[in-house]
């Protein structure tokens, strides 16, 4: 059995610049954490920012939740909830960015939880189980998210092709094909993947400009700003406006998570302990601004709010474009969203596979998953994620859309619980942390972390609330059921594997580490 090698919090951290021997400073920091460099370290700040930005998927996720939030409070709730939730998500991102700077490895949230708990004398014995459970539950949430994302791509293809009535089996095959393409990019074409991340930023921003321009010029009738800020709609069946507003916050929370994706590319990013945290912070702020601009132009361009709330389109926001600028403009918009969805899926496979790679490297999974190919990419971990996505998420889609909806409802609540665990650990061990990373909030660190932690607890509760009244089997909020299913799966894996093999991050021997440094 491996033993955890305690490197503690690294003091006197060197800047991530090349040493006299030409060794990248990030590679030296990774070595001091006890790992050798196995992956390609070629990504720039902008490329890693592109990964994080794509992982959030702001245009596609905002489009996907547009109808839901309209039904849960209308335009005024949409604008207020967006800005309020974005503030909390920015706090989460900033706090995670600080931790990322301190522990610049591909383990991300899973690794941070262990190291933070291990720094506390009383909590150290609990660190292996809590880290293992956090890591695999979070990984399962990401796998579900990838599957849901790619099923949406298949559904949008049906709309673009004229609503020709693709069967659920055909949508399933499209989703599987997209997932396999994501696997090929991640396992064999690292440079193309980096280019895709950079291009997605340009595509999303350029697409937003085009959407604003087209809707501004060709929309038949525009709503007033007063209407956007004051109109209230409610199709939930609940009468309490505060409760309805909380339900409206779910849409914003769904659209704004995933900025930590940059952390999983730490071992592939140059100057990682600064670039990855900056990418996390920049991507969430950019997503807030782009999402707000996109939301405002959509609301101003609404022709009939009730036609959108009652639309039968697979992505109801398409009804807005159909009413405002007609069929051709709607198809153009959906092509924009399909490309954004594709990039989001590719980025999610990157993040999830790197986390699986790190879990396997630390013996939290079979060691075959941490093997790299001749291109220095974690191909086995990539194909594990692809296979799990296809088998656990996409295959059930044709069998029962009801079961599929239950599955995907676990994503947001599970991710926010993972945030709560790592932020709670950060607060608990703050007195024992003797150093900071190069990305630091200084005196604002503790207040920002407390705000972020408090929001994650509130958010987890909100995600479990009934969303319609009266509550029936068809509208019951099954997120708790799906969440408990993810937890149960992780516990079974812990009993069957984790408790026998996993004791914490497995640092390599000094000889292995130096070999990785000099190779």
């Amino acid at each position: 059995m491996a033993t955890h090698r305690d490197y503690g919090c690294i003091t006197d951290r060197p800047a991530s610049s090349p040493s006299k021997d030409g060794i990248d400073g990030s590679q030296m920091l990774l070595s001091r954490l006890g790992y050798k460099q196995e992956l390609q370290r070629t990504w720039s700040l902008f490329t890693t920012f592109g990964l994080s930005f794509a992982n959030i998927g702001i245009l596609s996720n905002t489009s996907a939740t547009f109808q839901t939030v309209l039904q849960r409070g209308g335009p005024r709730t949409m604008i207020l909830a967006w800005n309020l939730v974005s503030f909390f998500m920015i706090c989460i991102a900033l706090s995670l960015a600080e931790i990322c700077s301190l522990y610049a490895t591909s383990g991300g949230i899973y690794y941070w939880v262990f190291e933070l708990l291990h720094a506390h004398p009383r909590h150290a014995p609990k660190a292996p189980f809590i880290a293992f459970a956090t890591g695999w539950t979070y990984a399962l949430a990401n796998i579900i998210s990838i599957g849901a994302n790619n099923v949406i791509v298949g559904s949008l293809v049906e709309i673009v092709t004229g609503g020709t009535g693709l069967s659920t089996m055909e949508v399933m095959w499209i989703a599987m094909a997209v997932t396999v393409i994501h696997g090929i990019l991640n396992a064999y074409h690292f440079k193309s993947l980096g280019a895709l991340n950079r291009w997605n930023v340009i595509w999303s921003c350029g697409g937003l400009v085009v959407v604003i321009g087209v809707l501004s010029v060709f929309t038949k009738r525009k709503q007033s700003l007063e209407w956007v800020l004051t109109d209230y709609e409610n199709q939930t069946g609940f009468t309490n406006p505060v409760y309805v507003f909380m339900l409206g916050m779910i849409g914003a929370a769904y659209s704004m998570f995933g900025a930590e994706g940059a952390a999983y590319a730490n071992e592939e990013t140059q100057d990682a302990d600064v670039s990855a945290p900056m990418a996390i912070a920049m991507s969430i702020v950019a997503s807030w601004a782009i999402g707000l601009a996109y939301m405002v132009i959509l609301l101003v361009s609404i022709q009939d709010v009730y036609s959108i709330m009652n639309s039968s389109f697979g992505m109801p926001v398409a009804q807005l474009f159909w009413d405002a600028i007609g069929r051709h403009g709607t198809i153009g918009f959906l092509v924009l969203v399909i490309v954004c969805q594709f990039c989001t899926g590719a980025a999610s496979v990157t993040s999830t596979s790197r986390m699986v790679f790190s879990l396997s490297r630390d013996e939290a999974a079979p060691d075959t998953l941490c093997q790299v190919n001749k291109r220095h990419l974690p191909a086995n971990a990539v194909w594990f994620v692809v296979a799990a996505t296809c088998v656990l998420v996409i295959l059930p889609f044709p069998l029962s859309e009801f079961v599929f909806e239950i599955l995907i409802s676990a994503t947001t609540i599970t991710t926010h619980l993972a945030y709560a665990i790592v932020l709670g650990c950060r607060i608990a061990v703050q007195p024992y942390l003797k150093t900071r990373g190069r990305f630091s909030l200084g005196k604002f660190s503790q207040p920002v972390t407390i705000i972020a932690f408090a929001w994650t607890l509130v958010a987890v509760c909100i995600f479990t609330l009934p969303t319609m009244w009266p509550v029936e089997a068809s509208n019951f909020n099954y997120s708790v059921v799906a969440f408990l299913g993810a937890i149960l799966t992780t516990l079974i894996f812990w009993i069957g594997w984790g408790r026998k093999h996993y004791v914490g991050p497995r640092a390599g021997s000094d000889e292995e580490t130096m070999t990785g440094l000099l190779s």
Side-chain angles (χ1 to χ4, degrees):
M1 179 181 290
T3 56
H4 171 65
R5 198 169 168 195
D6 187 9
Y7 284 81
C9 294
I10 298 176
T11 55
D12 302 323
R13 299 176 65 110
S16 294
S17 55
S19 68
K20 294 179 181 179
D21 299 321
I23 299 171
D24 181 78
S26 296
Q27 198 168 330
M28 294 176 67
L29 290 177
L30 184 64
S31 170
R32 296 183 70 189
L33 286 172
Y35 295 108
K36 63 180 180 179
Q37 183 70 45
E38 296 182 273
L39 307 179
Q40 295 184 39
R41 193 180 288 277
T42 57
W43 277 9
S44 65
L45 168 60
F46 185 65
T47 303
T48 306
F49 161 72
L51 171 71
S52 231
F53 183 78
N55 200 46
I56 296 171
I58 193 64
L59 291 185
S60 51
N61 284 340
T62 305
S63 299
T65 59
F66 190 79
Q67 180 196 51
T68 302
V69 183
L70 272 184
Q71 294 170 335
R72 299 174 182 177
R76 80 178 188 192
T77 292
M78 188 176 289
I79 295 295
L80 181 57
W82 180 261
N83 287 293
L84 183 60
V85 172
S86 293
F87 168 75
F88 293 131
M89 297 307 291
I90 289 171
C91 288
I92 290 174
L94 289 173
S95 187
L96 295 182
E98 275 199 308
I99 305 171
C100 177
S101 184
L102 190 60
Y103 303 116
T105 80
S106 293
I109 284 178
Y110 137 77
Y111 184 90
W112 304 340
V113 167
F114 184 93
E115 291 296 341
L116 290 170
L117 285 175
H118 199 260
H120 194 291
R122 266 191 315 122
H123 300 323
K126 309 169 191 171
F129 171 71
I130 296 176
F132 183 97
T134 303
W136 276 110
T137 305
Y138 180 85
L140 280 173
N142 276 271
I143 287 169
I144 294 169
S145 179
I146 295 166
N149 178 88
N150 293 348
V151 167
I152 290 173
V153 171
S155 301
L156 293 178
V157 168
E158 179 186 10
I159 302 174
V160 169
T161 54
T164 52
L166 291 177
S167 67
T168 53
M169 285 295 293
E170 289 169 323
V171 171
M172 182 198 77
W173 287 118
I174 292 172
M176 282 194 173
V178 170
T179 307
V180 170
I181 294 170
H182 289 156
I184 293 170
L185 283 171
N186 275 276
Y188 305 113
H189 299 284
F190 191 64
K191 289 184 179 179
S192 299
L193 187 65
L196 183 67
N197 290 333
R198 295 190 296 272
W199 184 69
N200 177 60
V201 176
I202 298 169
W203 174 265
S204 298
C205 295
L208 175 63
V209 171
V210 171
V211 167
I212 291 174
V214 170
L215 288 178
S216 298
V217 173
F218 296 105
T219 298
K220 305 164 190 173
R221 180 174 62 89
K222 295 181 177 64
Q223 301 292 345
S224 68
L225 190 59
E226 180 184 2
W227 180 86
V228 169
L229 297 176
T230 60
D231 185 64
Y232 179 77
E233 308 290 342
N234 181 11
Q235 291 190 348
T236 66
F238 294 101
T239 56
N240 188 315
V242 175
Y243 186 89
V244 174
F245 177 77
M246 289 193 295
L247 296 180
M249 295 172 78
I250 294 174
Y254 176 83
S255 301
M256 287 289 285
F257 75 90
E260 72 282 359
Y264 300 102
N266 260 322
E267 294 176 35
E268 295 158 288
T269 301
Q270 299 169 352
D271 202 19
D273 60 330
V274 171
S275 294
M278 286 293 294
I280 293 172
M282 290 164 55
S283 64
I284 197 71
V285 173
S287 295
W288 161 72
I290 290 171
L292 181 61
Y294 178 57
M295 197 176 295
V296 169
I297 190 62
L298 290 184
L299 291 171
V300 168
S301 303
I302 288 177
Q303 304 300 295
D304 183 352
V305 68
Y306 299 106
S307 73
I308 299 169
M309 290 196 293
N310 301 310
S311 175
S312 60
F313 276 124
M315 180 167 280
V317 73
Q319 186 71 54
L320 184 154
F321 284 83
W322 191 280
D323 295 342
I325 55 178
R327 179 175 181 271
H328 296 296
T330 303
I331 291 174
F333 160 73
L334 291 174
V335 169
L336 167 69
V337 174
I338 286 172
V339 175
C340 290
Q341 289 279 149
F342 179 86
C343 294
T344 296
S348 296
V349 171
T350 303
S351 301
T352 310
S353 62
R354 272 52 176 182
M355 185 174 193
V356 170
F357 163 81
S358 298
L359 285 161
S360 174
R361 181 175 60 182
D362 293 333
E363 299 185 354
D367 60 8
T368 55
L369 297 179
C370 68
Q371 294 175 7
V372 298
N373 60 19
K374 62 182 180 181
R375 293 177 173 85
H376 297 285
L377 296 171
N380 288 0
V382 170
W383 291 117
F384 169 81
V385 170
V386 168
T389 300
C390 291
V391 173
L392 299 178
V393 187
I394 299 177
L395 267 178
F397 174 67
L399 301 176
S400 170
E401 290 190 32
F402 178 69
V403 172
F404 180 75
E405 291 292 336
I406 293 176
L407 272 174
I408 64 174
S409 67
T411 303
T412 312
I413 185 173
T414 304
T415 303
H416 278 72
L417 182 65
Y419 292 158
I421 292 171
V422 70
L423 294 171
C425 291
R426 170 68 187 273
I427 293 169
V429 305
Q430 184 66 36
Y432 299 91
L433 294 178
K434 305 303 181 185
T435 189
R436 298 179 185 272
R438 292 167 63 206
F439 180 95
S440 173
L441 300 178
K443 64 182 181 180
F444 297 105
S445 176
Q446 189 74 346
V448 167
T449 303
I450 291 172
I451 292 170
F453 176 65
W455 161 248
T456 58
L457 297 181
V458 171
V460 167
C461 295
I462 291 175
F463 296 143
T464 65
L465 296 175
T467 57
M468 296 288 289
W469 184 264
V471 178
E472 300 172 354
S474 60
N475 63 30
F476 184 76
N477 185 352
Y478 289 95
S479 60
V480 174
V481 177
F483 169 69
L484 292 176
I487 293 291
L488 180 61
T489 303
T490 301
L491 289 176
I492 292 171
F493 190 30
W494 167 260
I495 294 169
W497 177 274
R499 66 175 181 170
K500 300 174 184 176
H501 300 89
Y502 179 70
V503 294
R506 181 186 61 82
S509 67
D510 292 336
E511 182 179 352
E512 287 177 327
T513 303
M514 288 308 299
T515 299
L517 260 178
L518 299 174
S519 60

